[in-house]
Amino acid sequence: MPRMGGIEMARAVRASRPKMPILFLSGDIDRNPEARKLGNACLNKPYREPELADRLRDLGAIGG
């Protein structure tokens, strides 16, 4: 994202829509504890499509 990173985006979303689920996708999520605090779920890269679908289903973002 050219203007802000994922953490900044999550903060902005939380401020305006506190109940919106946030899923962080990152190659280094373990080194960023703030992502775990702000997000409802985290998924480390690389991931497979079934893992992503499971996380999205858990968050209620897709039907299952």
Side-chain angles (χ1 to χ4, degrees), residues 19-61:
K19 293 183 180 185
M20 178 179 269
I22 296 174
L23 171 62
F24 276 98
L25 306 173
S26 176
D28 63 348
I29 205 75
D30 294 329
R31 293 187 304 168
N32 198 335
E34 190 169 7
R36 291 198 179 274
K37 291 178 189 173
L38 285 169
N40 299 88
C42 300
L43 188 58
N44 279 312
K45 293 179 186 176
Y47 54 85
R48 299 174 98 70
E49 286 182 32
E51 294 172 295
L52 176 59
D54 287 345
R55 293 292 168 93
L56 291 173
R57 207 172 288 111
D58 291 346
L59 292 172

